Structure formats: C-alpha cells, structure tokens
Amino acid sequence: IPSAGQWKGKESETFLTQTGAHVSMDRWLEFLGYIITDGCVTSSTGSRIQITQNPGAKANVIENCLKELPWQHTESHSNGARVFSVHHQQLKGEIASLIGTPEGVYGKQKHLPDFIWGLSPKHLLHLLNAVILGDGTRYDTLPNTTALVFRTTSPALADDVQRLAILCGYMTKHSQVITKSGYNPGISVFYVHISAGHPQLLERKRITKISYNGIVYCATVPNGTLLTRFQGRTCISGNSTVVAQNPMIR
C-alpha cells in the first residue's frame, strides 16, 4: 500500500501581494514559513512583522531570505535572540489573513495558506523546509536518509503540515501528546513525523473478520485516487471500479 506519491501541481515563479509587489514564490513561501513558526503578527507588534531566532545558522538563513524580499527589515536583540522586523501595516494584515485570522496570528489558530495547495513540490518544499527549520527537528538516522519531526499546539497547522509533506512526496504520521510536566502541563502538542515514503505491507495476520450488517460505502473522487488517514497514518489507494463493474472478480 503506497504511503506517499508524486504530486505534480502548478509552477508559478512569482506571487503578487496586496502591496503590489511581485515576490519570488519560493522566497514568499519561505518567508511565510518563518512567520508561522518563529514570527509574531499580533496587535502587540503594531505595524511590525517580527521573526525571532537565536543567533546561529538558522537566524542567518532567515536573514538571507529577508534580504531577497522587496521590503526593508531591521534587526534588534532581545534576551540574546535576534529579532527581525518588517514595518508594513498592509503586508501585516495580508499575512495575518493568510496564516491566521484578520486580527492576528495566534498559536492555536495558525494554519497554512489556502493558495499553496495547487502548487508543485518544487515550491512546496521551500515552505516545508522553512517550518521544519522553525519548529522541527532533523534526524539523520541512516545514510542518505533524513527523518523530520514537526511540532505545534495548533491542530489545524499539524494537519496542514502533514498534507504539505505528503504533497512533497514524504511518508507521514500524525500524533498527539498531552504534556505532563514543564512550565505549561496539560497542553496538547501535535507531532508530524516525516520520512521518505515507501510501500507499506498489509500482512495477512493483521487482517481480521468482523460481524457487520449494514451499508458499505465506497468513496469516489474524479481521478480514482484516494488519500486516507487512520490513526495518524496515511495511505494511497484507488476505487474498486473493476470489482464493481465485474462482480465475478474477487
């Protein structure tokens, strides 16, 4: 059973923002990824879009991205961290509507923007890499193999990141943990585990018969390809068209 596939999508070199600026699609997605994970777009920042990251390689990557955008940014420091700020009220409102609510981007309300879902993996990988850089971890478990783990308190964002990773060709697993200690116990934290996709074996010993008396439904989509999730794991399957058309096939 395939757990990942190859999504094609459309390519678009630029994104037209509400400010009238044409921005590189890849840099725009990267920028949004950093804001979603390390940014602050709330009333407390006035007209500023802020991204905070500790000094080091990650902060340098964010800085390089900002340098390629058409809006000027400033840098300050807070508790040893680097704080990048973009002052633009109209841009702030647009970003808030894309990844949060018009009132701002708050933790549990965060989500990925709707416009991305038709894009090709070439573009989507820039967004995935950005959110992993901010709130993810990379594990080099085996030679030439990298496992990624993304964490968030937003259930909608966790669902979106799992969907994003699938469109980029990865195998994923979604899970939830209730914190029992630390500074904020009792909080739900959602994890998305991401790794190279490969077929999953459906072993006979894991198939059981159950007693059932009722209607059996078969979901149908235009291209016949179904992506389903059960207990946090996903798989790709197809409609039972051949069986339905020829009941002699078993």
Side-chain angles (χ1 to χ4, degrees):
I1 302 175
S3 53
Q6 294 182 341
W7 167 254
K8 292 184 178 180
K10 298 179 180 180
E11 295 193 8
S12 179
E13 293 306 313
T14 60
F15 182 89
L16 176 60
T17 69
Q18 293 177 5
T19 68
H22 288 267
V23 187
S24 161
M25 179 64 77
D26 294 340
R27 296 292 77 76
W28 176 245
L29 293 173
E30 187 180 351
F31 181 44
L32 292 178
Y34 298 143
I35 296 172
I36 289 170
T37 55
D38 291 325
C40 183
V41 184
T42 65
S43 58
S44 64
T45 61
S47 63
R48 292 171 295 168
I49 302 164
Q50 288 187 338
I51 302 175
T52 304
Q53 181 59 261
N54 291 325
K58 291 183 178 181
N60 294 338
V61 171
I62 294 173
E63 182 181 25
N64 290 335
C65 173
L66 293 174
K67 288 180 178 178
E68 295 188 37
L69 297 175
W71 307 285
Q72 292 185 347
H73 72 276
T74 59
E75 181 180 346
S76 58
H77 294 82
S78 176
N79 297 322
R82 299 176 66 181
V83 182
F84 303 99
S85 300
V86 177
H87 298 258
H88 201 300
Q89 186 65 47
Q90 185 179 12
L91 179 64
K92 177 183 176 181
E94 179 178 6
I95 290 175
S97 296
L98 284 174
I99 62 176
T101 68
E103 291 73 33
V105 182
Y106 299 90
K108 293 184 179 181
Q109 299 172 331
K110 291 181 179 180
H111 58 83
L112 298 184
D114 290 335
F115 77 86
I116 71 170
W117 301 121
L119 296 175
S120 71
K122 168 183 175 293
H123 297 308
L124 297 179
L125 277 169
H126 288 276
L127 178 57
L128 179 62
N129 287 332
V131 297
I132 292 297
L133 182 142
D135 280 340
T137 306
R138 292 178 179 269
Y139 298 97
D140 296 319
T141 54
L142 296 172
N144 302 319
T145 301
T146 300
L148 312 173
V149 178
F150 175 80
R151 62 190 64 84
T152 179
T153 57
S154 168
L157 181 57
D159 287 343
D160 283 351
V161 170
Q162 183 175 29
R163 180 180 177 185
L164 174 65
I166 291 169
L167 293 181
C168 289
Y170 289 102
M171 179 177 67
T172 65
K173 179 186 177 183
H174 181 289
S175 62
Q176 177 182 357
V177 175
I178 306 297
T179 58
K180 296 182 179 180
S181 59
Y183 70 93
N184 205 357
I187 297 298
S188 293
V189 180
F190 302 90
Y191 290 82
V192 181
H193 302 264
I194 304 168
S195 60
H198 57 81
Q200 301 292 298
L201 295 178
L202 185 60
E203 300 174 336
R204 183 179 294 275
K205 65 181 181 180
R206 300 182 65 179
I207 301 175
T208 58
K209 292 182 178 181
I210 63 171
S211 177
Y212 177 77
N213 182 17
I215 299 174
V216 176
Y217 294 91
C218 181
T220 303
V221 293
N223 66 357
T225 301
L226 297 170
L227 174 63
T228 59
R229 182 174 73 176
F230 178 68
Q231 295 183 347
R233 298 181 183 273
T234 60
C235 71
I236 298 173
S237 59
N239 290 132
S240 304
T241 306
V242 177
V243 176
Q245 292 176 348
N246 189 346
M248 298 304 295
I249 298 177
R250 293 290 185 268

